[in-house]
C-alpha cells in the first residue's frame, strides 16, 4: 500500500476551512492528509464520517468520500460503511462533546466491537462551535458560560474508558506536534481493529486555559521513554495514572485480535460486499411481487 503514488494534494479541496486562525483542527486536517498519502491510499478508497461541531467540518475539507451526520452519530455511520465494504479505509472524527457527551453510548459499543475503523477525537476541552460551554472533558473547576463558578463534575477520561472496554489500539496526539500526530494517524489506520486517537486540538478562541503552551508544559511523549511497552495493558494504565492522562504516543496496541467482521463472518475471505447474492428465480419473483 505504501508503494503506491499518493500525495497530500490529492486529499485537498478548493474550499478554505472556516476554523478560527490558529485552531488545532488545521493540524489534524493536515496530519490526516499526510498520513493517508504516506500510506499510499487513493481518495476513492477512503471514507471520512463526522458529527456536529467545529470538528465535524473535517469531512468538508478532506478530499475523499465523506459523511457529515448528526450529533454523536459519526461512529454508527462509519461502522456500517466499513462492514458493508471492508476494503474501504474508514475514519470517523468528532469533538469531545460530540464523542464523549452526545455520542458516548456509540463510543462504548464501538470499543467493544472492534470494527476495523479509526476514530479521531479532536479534544479541546470545551464546546467551541456554540461559543464556549463546559464539555465532558473540561477539568473540574473549569469556568465557562455554563459553569461561571467552576465545573462541579469530574471530567470524562477517554483513555481509561477505551482501555477498560477492550479497545485494541489507544493513542493520544497533540496539534502542536505535526510529525508525531501524522505518525500516530498512520499507525492507527494500519491497525486492524478499532483505533482511538484522542487528539488535543486547542480552541484558541474560547479556551484560554488549555492552550498550546499549556499542553507543551504538561504533555509527556512516550516515544522519549524507550522502556515503555505499548503492548502492556497494565503499563498503559500505570502511565495514564502517573501523568494524569497527559501523554502522547501509542499508549496501547493489541496485535492479532480479530476484527468484528472476522469474528462474525469467519474470516476475511467472507465479506458481505463480495458475497454473491444467492436467490432462486422463485424467490426473486416473490420479492418483486410485493412491489408490483
Amino acid at each position: 500500500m505504501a508503494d503506491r503514488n499518493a500525495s497530500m494534494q490529492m486529499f485537498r479541496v478548493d474550499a478554505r476551512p472556516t476554523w478560527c486562525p490558529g485552531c488545532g483542527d488545521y493540524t489534524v486536517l493536515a496530519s490526516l492528509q499526510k498520513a493517508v498519502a504516506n500510506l499510499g491510499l487513493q481518495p476513492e478508497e477512503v471514507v471520512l464520517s463526522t458529527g456536529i461541531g467545529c470538528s465535524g467540518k473535517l469531512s468538508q475539507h478532506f478530499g475523499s468520500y465523506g459523511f457529515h451526520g448528526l450529533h454523536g452519530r459519526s461512529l454508527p455511520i462509519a461502522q456500517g460503511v466499513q462492514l458493508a465494504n471492508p476494503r474501504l479505509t474508514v475514519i470517523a472524527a468528532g469533538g469531545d462533546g460530540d464523542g464523549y457527551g452526545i455520542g458516548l453510548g456509540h463510543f462504548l459499543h464501538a470499543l467493544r466491537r472492534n470494527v476495523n475503523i479509526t476514530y479521531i477525537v479532536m479534544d479541546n476541552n470545551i464546546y467551541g462551535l456554540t461559543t464556549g460551554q463546559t464539555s465532558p472533558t473540561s477539568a473540574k473547576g473549569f469556568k465557562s458560560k455554563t459553569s461561571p463558578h467552576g465545573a462541579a463534575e469530574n471530567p470524562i477520561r477517554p483513555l481509561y474508558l477505551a482501555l477498560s472496554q477492550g479497545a485494541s489500539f489507544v493513542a493520544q496526539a497533540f496539534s502542536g506536534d505535526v510529525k508525531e500526530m501524522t505518525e500516530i494517524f498512520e499507525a492507527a489506520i494500519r491497525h486492524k481493529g478499532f483505533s482511538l486517537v484522542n487528539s488535543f486540538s486547542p480552541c484558541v478562541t474560547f479556551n484560554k486555559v488549555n492552550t498550546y503552551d499549556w499542553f507543551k508544559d504538561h504533555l509527556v511523549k512516550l516515544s522519549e521513554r524507550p522502556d515503555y511497552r505499548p503492548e502492556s495493558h497494565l503499563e498503559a494504565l500505570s502511565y495514564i495514572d502517573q501523568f494524569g492522562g497527559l501523554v502522547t504516543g501509542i499508549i496501547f496496541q493489541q496485535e492479532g485480535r480479530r476484527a468484528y467482521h472476522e469474528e462474525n463472518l469467519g474470516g476475511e475471505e467472507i465479506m458481505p460486499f463480495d458475497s454473491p447474492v444467492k436467490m432462486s428465480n422463485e424467490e426473486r419473483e416473490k420479492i418483486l411481487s410485493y412491489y408490483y
Side-chain angles (χ1 to χ4, degrees):
M1 185 161 63
D3 294 334
R4 300 167 63 189
N5 292 325
S7 67
M8 287 181 68
Q9 186 63 37
M10 295 165 60
F11 292 92
R12 288 175 177 159
V13 299
D14 293 334
R16 297 180 61 183
T18 55
W19 295 315
C20 301
C23 174
D25 294 355
Y26 285 100
T27 300
V28 175
L29 174 62
S31 297
L32 187 57
Q33 290 168 327
K34 180 68 173 173
V36 292
N38 287 348
L39 292 170
L41 292 167
Q42 306 297 305
E44 64 271 19
E45 297 171 334
V46 181
V47 179
L48 177 58
S49 170
T50 59
I52 298 297
C54 296
S55 58
K57 298 177 182 177
L58 195 71
S59 58
Q60 301 173 17
H61 304 308
F62 190 79
S64 71
Y65 289 117
F67 184 93
H68 191 177
L70 295 175
H71 294 87
R73 302 300 190 269
S74 62
L75 281 175
I77 298 297
Q79 291 170 91
V81 170
Q82 211 284 330
L83 291 175
N85 186 354
R87 290 180 175 174
L88 292 171
T89 294
V90 183
I91 301 162
D96 42 304
D98 185 69
Y100 304 144
I102 305 152
L104 182 61
H106 296 302
F107 176 55
L108 295 178
H109 291 294
L111 290 169
R112 69 190 184 90
R113 284 191 191 111
N114 201 37
V115 177
N116 188 28
I117 65 172
T118 297
Y119 185 33
I120 299 170
V121 179
M122 295 138 87
D123 186 357
N124 57 16
N125 308 111
I126 202 167
Y127 282 103
L129 186 66
T130 48
T131 71
Q133 295 83 21
T134 296
S135 87
T137 58
S138 299
K140 188 174 183 179
F142 183 81
K143 294 183 179 180
S144 73
K145 292 179 178 178
T146 51
S147 59
H149 302 295
E153 302 157 303
N154 287 318
I156 289 281
R157 299 177 179 179
L159 303 180
Y160 280 115
L161 280 177
L163 290 169
S164 68
Q165 298 305 309
S168 56
F169 184 102
V170 180
Q172 193 156 257
F174 169 46
S175 285
D177 191 335
V178 178
K179 182 175 181 296
E180 184 182 51
M181 179 175 277
T182 302
E183 292 171 350
I184 291 173
F185 285 169
E186 287 182 42
I189 294 169
R190 280 197 303 267
H191 178 76
K192 187 172 70 173
F194 185 84
S195 306
L196 168 70
V197 184
N198 192 67
S199 302
F200 291 126
S201 179
C203 174
V204 296
T205 303
F206 296 107
N207 190 338
K208 303 301 183 183
V209 176
N210 307 112
T211 62
Y212 285 95
D213 287 341
W214 186 90
F215 281 113
K216 288 175 182 175
D217 289 340
H218 290 81
L219 288 174
V220 174
K221 293 179 72 167
L222 295 177
S223 60
E224 295 176 351
R225 294 177 177 264
D227 295 334
Y228 185 76
R229 298 173 301 145
E231 67 274 15
S232 169
H233 203 267
L234 187 61
E235 195 162 321
L237 288 169
S238 175
Y239 265 71
I240 294 170
D241 258 343
Q242 184 179 351
F243 298 106
L246 293 170
V247 296
T248 62
I250 298 174
I251 299 168
F252 178 72
Q253 184 168 17
Q254 179 185 14
E255 300 279 9
R257 181 180 166 190
R258 286 152 62 92
Y260 183 87
H261 70 278
E262 295 171 326
E263 283 286 348
N264 282 274
L265 300 174
E268 287 192 2
E269 70 277 9
I270 304 175
M271 295 181 176
F273 182 74
D274 291 336
S275 299
V277 177
K278 296 179 179 178
M279 184 182 298
S280 67
N281 288 334
E282 287 184 355
E283 290 172 320
R284 184 180 295 109
E285 292 301 323
K286 185 177 180 181
I287 291 174
L288 290 175
S289 69
Y290 293 137
Y291 300 97
Y292 297 101

